[in-house]
Each structure stands twice: as C-alpha cells, then as structure tokens.
Amino acid sequence: MPPTTPAIPRPALPDAADADPVAPDAAVPLDSHPLDSVPVHAHITDALKSAAFIRLSGSVVLARFETMKVYAALGAVRALLESGRITPGQTLVDSSSGIYALALAMACHRYGLHCHIVASTTVDTVMRAQLEVLGATVEQMPPSQSLRLDQERRVRRVHELLARRPDVHWMRQYHDGVHHTGYREFAERASAALPNGHLTVVGAVGTGASTGGLTTALRERGRAVRLVGVQPFGSVTFGSEGFSDPEAIIAGIGSSIPFGNVRHELYDTVHWLDFRHAMAGTVELLRRHAVFAGLSTGAAHLVARWEEAQERNTTYLVLGADTGHRYTERVFGRHEEAQDPAGLRPERIDSLERLRPPWSVMEWAGRPAPPGAQVADDPHGSAPEPTSAGTRSGDPWTAEKTLWTAGDAR
C-alpha cells in the first residue's frame, strides 16, 4: 500500500452566527456581465480607477482600491495640461508618504512628464523600487518617529528644489484644489454601484482631497451625503495635536502641518482613533472579510462598524485607499495582539476640550478649521473655495483660540 499522507489541519471556521449575512439578491449572476463589456485599458491607471465594491454588512460597502490617489493625481495632471499650467516633458515634484507618489509617478508615465518625489520616512523599499522603475527620482527623508519633523523636512526640501529649479512644477497636493477634480469620476462610479437614498461616506482624512472631492461631487449631483472623517491622535487637522501616539506614523492620515485642501465645513462627524484601534479594524477586515488593506482603511472600517450600529437607515461607503503591504510587519505580523472590535466603542464628546484617547467622536457639524489647522497666506496661493453645493452649513467655531500646544505628532 502507498504511504498515507497526513491530513493537513484546517483552521477553525467562524460560527455562522458570527458571520455577516449577505442577502441572496446581493449575489451577482455569473452571466450578468457579458465578456464583450469588459474593457481593455490603454494604461494601467485606467484599471486602477476601478474600485472593487465589497459589501461588509447589510448597509456597509467598502470601495477597495490598490491606489485611490490615482484619481487625485490623474485628475490634477490632466487639468494642469489642459490649462497650460504644465507642458509635456516638464518635471513635476511633490512630497508624499507613498500612495500619492506612486499615483503621480504613474500619471507622469502616462502623460510623458518627469517626476521627482521627496519621500516620507514611511516609504518602504518596495514602494521606492516601483517609483524608480517608473522613472521617478526619489529623495527620502531619514528615519523619524515624528510626523511633524518628517513633513517639515519634506516641505523644506521642496522649497530648496524650487529655488534651484524654477522650471519644475510643484504639485502641492496639500493645497492645490485641482486635486479634488478627479474624484468627480469616482462619484459617478459610486452612484452607479450604490442604491439610491441617503449615503454616509466614511474615510480617513489626510490631504482632504478624496473625502472632500468625492463628497462635494456627490452633493452637487443632488445626493444627500453625510461625511464622517477619521483622524489619528497627534494631528493638527481636527485639533488633536496635543496628544501623542508613539506607536504609529500612519501613512496618508492626519498631519502635523495645516493643509489647504481639507475643507472642514464639509464634515459632519469626526472620529479620532489611536494606533491600537486602527490595528483592530485592519486585522478584523482581513480576518472576517479577507480584505488586505492599510491602517487608514482599517480605521475607517472600525468607525463604519460602530456608526452602522447607531443608525442603519443609510448606506455607508468606506473608502479603502490602499493595500496592506506596507503594514505587513507592524500590523499583520502582530495580529494576535489585535483587540476584538466588538468590545470597542468611542467616547462621545461635544468639544475639543473633552477630546481623549483612545477613541473619541464628535459632531463636527460643518465647523471651520481649528486654529492649528488654519492655512496662512503663501506666495503660491491657497486652495479655491468649494462650491455652494459642496458646502456644509453649521455652527461657528466656538472653542478657545488655542486649545493645545503644538508638539510632535504621534
């Protein structure tokens, strides 16, 4: 008799009660998309714009991207070329933590432009290799546990380059409102994918272009949209710079410097989470739904999970900006440390004076930028005002003029 092969042990499956039910009518027939409707793309950026819409629960849908900022970069470069602000063959430069850098490098590859990236300390060797093979030149900041120092170094270096090379164009993803324009196309795709009715967009706020650009475009289309922003502790954007979260520099979320592209009046609700809570949502997203995504997506997932429990009479759209590859060691390699999201809930607050880690939530109600997030006038100009269709009305800012002293972010 041939030798028997030992059985391979299988991991225990979750109980049926633990699984999120999917309605039978949510399944798509295999023949619903005939082969002749499948596009063949002229460039990879067209394929990357197609988000995968994944139902996480009854009313929560994830828009999962490989690189969501392809909308910001492509829309901005196309608009700049059409307006004559840049010309083919010119060099585009910007600072980035990685996601935007890759999107900009691909946009330059598509439109015959040169690309120079002043990269964050969070850009890993895999990302850097992709950028260099695409033809971008990369300068990376030295290792730092301070987001403030990392960002200030990058911006300072960009100014040095501009002084030496006036022919290059600074993309200014933090401030130039042209980065909002590309999300109009995503708004069309989201509208086609999601049911009619009230919509709640849940997304991490970095530069503000994705959450702000998408929400503005949806509201201009007449859609009733509630916008929920997600922030880390240690970010000036929504007034949490007085706290430190030493475990994390989460790429693409929060900031230690003011961003003109964050239109605070668009936001209805803001959640602040620490690294441990973002990690819990990220690991849960992979464990329960097999979605491998970054920390900002995991944080938004945890927030949407809680929000749905409070109000089910809306569709929740979670923005999944990137994959989880950059967090393999720091998050997924430590998955056994992840907390159970079922036991996590935020502290409701009514002012920034009551803000506390590890998780707080506040009705922002269209307030303007807090003092630390207000952008001073600069010679390059500020972001344009949003249109009336994209503006939220709300109570004026009534907190103290200075709530927290500036300090290292996280």
Side-chain angles (χ1 to χ4, degrees), residues 50 202 241 303 342 357 383 410:
S50 300
V202 183
E241 67 267 30
V303 166
R410 290 188 286 261

CSV table of all heavy atoms in Angstrom, one decimal, residues 50 202 241 303 342 357 383 410:
chain,number,residue,atom,x,y,z
A,50,SER,N,-10.8,51.7,-11.2
A,50,SER,CA,-12.0,50.8,-10.9
A,50,SER,C,-11.9,50.2,-9.6
A,50,SER,O,-11.2,49.2,-9.4
A,50,SER,CB,-12.1,49.7,-12.0
A,50,SER,OG,-12.2,50.3,-13.3
A,202,VAL,N,-17.5,57.4,4.8
A,202,VAL,CA,-16.6,57.2,5.9
A,202,VAL,C,-15.1,57.1,5.4
A,202,VAL,O,-14.9,56.1,4.6
A,202,VAL,CB,-16.9,56.0,6.8
A,202,VAL,CG1,-16.0,56.0,8.0
A,202,VAL,CG2,-18.4,56.1,7.2
A,241,GLU,N,-3.5,67.8,18.1
A,241,GLU,CA,-2.1,67.8,18.1
A,241,GLU,C,-1.5,67.8,19.5
A,241,GLU,O,-0.3,67.6,19.7
A,241,GLU,CB,-1.6,69.0,17.3
A,241,GLU,CG,-1.9,70.4,18.0
A,241,GLU,CD,-3.2,71.0,17.4
A,241,GLU,OE1,-4.1,70.2,17.0
A,241,GLU,OE2,-3.3,72.2,17.4
A,303,VAL,N,-14.8,52.5,12.4
A,303,VAL,CA,-15.7,53.6,12.6
A,303,VAL,C,-17.1,53.3,11.9
A,303,VAL,O,-18.1,53.5,12.5
A,303,VAL,CB,-15.1,54.9,12.0
A,303,VAL,CG1,-16.2,56.0,11.8
A,303,VAL,CG2,-14.0,55.4,12.9
A,342,ALA,N,-15.5,44.1,18.7
A,342,ALA,CA,-16.9,44.0,19.3
A,342,ALA,C,-16.9,44.7,20.7
A,342,ALA,O,-17.9,45.2,21.1
A,342,ALA,CB,-17.3,42.6,19.4
A,357,PRO,N,-7.8,60.1,24.1
A,357,PRO,CA,-7.6,58.8,23.5
A,357,PRO,C,-8.3,57.8,24.4
A,357,PRO,O,-8.6,58.1,25.5
A,357,PRO,CB,-6.0,58.6,23.6
A,357,PRO,CG,-5.5,60.0,23.8
A,357,PRO,CD,-6.6,60.8,24.6
A,383,ALA,N,-6.0,77.0,-1.6
A,383,ALA,CA,-7.0,76.2,-2.3
A,383,ALA,C,-8.2,77.0,-2.6
A,383,ALA,O,-8.6,77.9,-1.8
A,383,ALA,CB,-7.3,75.0,-1.5
A,410,ARG,N,2.1,62.0,17.0
A,410,ARG,CA,2.3,60.6,17.3
A,410,ARG,C,3.7,60.4,17.9
A,410,ARG,O,4.6,60.0,17.2
A,410,ARG,CB,2.0,59.8,16.1
A,410,ARG,CG,0.5,59.8,15.8
A,410,ARG,CD,0.2,58.8,14.7
A,410,ARG,NE,0.7,59.3,13.4
A,410,ARG,CZ,0.0,59.9,12.5
A,410,ARG,NH1,-1.3,60.1,12.8
A,410,ARG,NH2,0.5,60.3,11.4
